[in-house]
Amino acid sequence: MKKRKKNGAAVLVCSILLAVSFGILAGCSITEENMEGSSGSSETKNILDENSKNSQLSPETFPIGRYHDDMGSELSISKADDKNYSIDFGIYKSFYVEDAVGSYDDRSGVLSFSGTDLGTENTISADVTIQGDHLLVTLTQSEYLTGETFEFEPGQP
């Protein structure tokens, strides 16, 4: 009789430990899924925020003004008319474009412009995108620097 009670108690203890272990494992996996879901939704929210910012930009609201980098390069954007911009753009000791003409594509969030280097008379084309309060300028046509991207911050050097 005692042996049966001992075996029954051991089985009961093992069953309880097994149930608690499964409960803990299930709880951990649910928490992990929730955490992955929340970080994914946070990333999605950031992307949606960025997209909504880009969709709020229009040819009328693209950030005009003067920009520079820490190497002495300059970027100046002004409004020419309803859909076009005038851009002065110079990469320190490489080239300088004055009165380049650009237009903003509100679907892609890109201001594209093209002009002539004052020193070499070569065509310079670039795309300008917004990243936070900085502008990124990627050269799409240039004698030497095609594909290079430059980061500009607001204000004069």
Side-chain angles (χ1 to χ4, degrees):
M1 214 44 166
K2 280 187 171 183
K3 195 173 190 180
R4 236 185 200 188
K5 284 186 179 181
K6 283 185 180 179
N7 285 342
V11 169
L12 180 62
V13 168
C14 286
S15 297
I16 292 172
L17 287 175
L18 192 60
V20 169
S21 298
F22 279 124
I24 290 172
L25 286 173
C28 288
S29 66
I30 290 171
T31 302
E32 194 172 293
E33 287 172 11
N34 289 342
M35 290 181 75
E36 286 175 8
S38 69
S39 71
S41 65
S42 172
E43 289 172 18
T44 303
K45 184 178 180 209
N46 289 340
I47 291 168
L48 291 174
D49 288 347
E50 286 301 314
N51 287 341
S52 67
K53 285 178 191 174
N54 284 343
S55 67
Q56 292 171 354
L57 290 173
S58 69
E60 292 77 33
T61 58
F62 193 87
I64 60 173
R66 295 183 62 96
Y67 299 84
H68 70 281
D69 70 5
D70 56 356
M71 300 296 290
S73 301
E74 299 176 7
L75 173 66
S76 177
I77 301 173
S78 59
K79 193 83 166 130
D81 57 42
D82 285 344
K83 297 192 183 258
N84 295 306
Y85 291 85
S86 177
I87 294 101
D88 295 339
F89 175 58
I91 297 298
Y92 182 72
K93 293 189 177 183
S94 295
F95 59 82
Y96 189 78
V97 176
E98 200 170 75
D99 294 324
V101 176
S103 62
Y104 179 72
D105 181 354
D106 56 350
R107 285 175 281 135
S108 65
V110 175
L111 170 65
S112 298
F113 71 88
S114 185
T116 303
D117 176 18
L118 296 177
T120 64
E121 297 188 9
N122 291 326
T123 300
I124 306 291
S125 299
D127 290 339
V128 182
T129 55
I130 300 169
Q131 183 172 2
D133 66 344
H134 290 73
L135 297 182
L136 298 180
V137 178
T138 303
L139 295 176
T140 56
Q141 181 181 354
S142 161
E143 186 175 10
Y144 302 109
L145 301 171
T146 299
E148 292 290 325
T149 298
F150 302 90
E151 185 173 342
F152 289 84
E153 58 187 55
Q156 296 182 354

